[in-house]
Amino acid sequence: MSSNTATGNVVPSTLPDVGDGHVPRVVAERLRKHGVVLLDGLHGRDEVRAAAELLMDPVTRHRDSGPDGLTALRDLGASIAGRSTFAGLGRGALAPHTDCTQAQDPPRLLLLACQQEGAVGGSSMLVDGRQVLGDVLRLGSEVLAALSAPRAAYFGDADGRFGPVLEPLGDDRWHLRYREDALARFSPDAVPHLPALREAVRRNTVTVRLRTGQALLVDNHRVLHGRSAFTGERLMLRALGAAAGWLELEPGFAAPSSSTA
């Protein structure tokens, strides 16, 4: 991904029936390589649910989801959206973040399907953690050590947990876990490096405006996502879950010096 606009790394693709072997392979390859795929043709809750069940094993139930595991993201008014853990249910901007940062193992995949565009705004923001890691590596070992420490940040409320922002998984692979709102607090060692980290996130942000029926399939362990503020009756359906085995995702993502993503 490059800054400011979506490129060919965000790959348009229809999501096929389970029996179509070619396009699923393309989706899997693009997801492994880039961490995000732009899908099309997901109109209505039944189609989104079928896509989620194909891509995820299992779909994870969420506090705000329906029995099918899908969460309707729409503006529910200031009384709900003004609470820190309900920001997604408003119309304000959401800074790029990892979903479920407080979980011991955040869901690997996020499917975000547009069912109705807002009048103005509401573009999705994406940040490739592989590029962020590359910027951090260039800043030096002290910065990386502070951000990869086991207690670099505390994510969540009273039931949250400590964790690294950039977690080394071994074999030169990494896991990104990041947000910077009321649900994140950083260690004294990490705080001095937050301006540089924010700049790395900003520099590597791309924007994608989803049209009705389009969806983003996001590797939640690699790619941060957010949105701009919007007006109008915007409706998105979201699913979270573990990656289906046929996607063949390795843990985390490879460091920039590696030949694979």
Side-chain angles (χ1 to χ4, degrees):
M1 286 184 279
S2 61
S3 61
N4 300 325
T5 58
T7 72
N9 292 353
V10 182
V11 182
S13 174
T14 57
L15 192 70
D17 294 333
V18 178
D20 186 336
H22 174 66
V23 178
R25 186 183 74 247
V26 173
V27 170
E29 290 173 351
R30 298 294 185 171
L31 184 63
R32 291 194 297 267
K33 184 174 183 180
H34 303 297
V36 60
V37 184
L38 178 63
L39 305 172
D40 204 354
L42 298 184
H43 298 275
R45 196 173 187 108
D46 289 345
E47 290 189 0
V48 177
R49 182 179 66 250
E53 291 174 350
L54 172 63
L55 295 160
M56 302 173 189
D57 186 18
V59 175
T60 301
R61 296 283 185 90
H62 187 269
R63 176 199 62 194
D64 305 319
S65 68
D68 58 2
L70 300 185
T71 301
L73 299 177
R74 64 194 337 154
D75 180 26
L76 296 184
S79 61
I80 292 292
R83 297 160 62 182
S84 60
T85 59
F86 290 86
L89 300 177
R91 60 178 62 241
L94 296 177
H97 62 282
T98 303
D99 257 17
C100 303
T101 48
Q102 78 285 355
Q104 182 172 351
D105 185 22
R108 184 67 189 268
L109 294 183
L110 161 73
L111 181 67
L112 190 63
C114 179
Q115 301 301 287
Q116 184 173 331
E117 300 175 54
V120 178
S123 292
S124 295
M125 296 180 287
L126 302 167
V127 184
D128 188 349
R130 190 168 189 251
Q131 295 181 337
V132 172
L133 174 61
D135 286 354
V136 170
L137 290 171
R138 285 186 285 274
L139 292 172
S141 58
E142 179 183 354
V143 180
L144 182 62
L147 296 176
S148 61
R151 296 171 69 90
Y154 182 87
F155 298 107
D157 287 325
D159 61 345
R161 68 181 62 249
F162 289 98
V165 175
L166 286 160
E167 180 181 3
L169 303 179
D171 296 326
D172 213 18
R173 299 191 68 85
W174 295 78
H175 177 186
L176 174 63
R177 186 192 304 244
Y178 176 75
R179 67 186 312 127
E180 199 166 343
D181 55 14
L183 297 177
R185 287 166 281 176
F186 296 87
S187 72
D189 289 340
V191 166
H193 305 299
L194 291 182
L197 179 61
R198 293 188 196 106
E199 174 58 21
V201 169
R202 185 203 64 77
R203 184 166 50 247
N204 292 297
T205 298
V206 303
T207 59
V208 180
R209 182 172 174 83
L210 295 178
R211 303 301 180 185
T212 299
Q214 291 184 324
L216 290 168
L217 175 63
V218 177
D219 182 343
N220 189 48
H221 290 186
R222 169 177 172 174
V223 175
L224 306 175
H225 70 283
R227 73 164 186 235
S228 62
F230 66 91
T231 62
E233 298 300 319
R234 181 178 185 266
L235 171 62
M236 310 293 284
L237 291 178
R238 181 190 65 190
L240 296 163
W246 63 268
L247 290 168
E248 298 181 340
L249 292 184
E250 295 184 63
F253 58 93
S257 59
S258 173
S259 59
T260 61

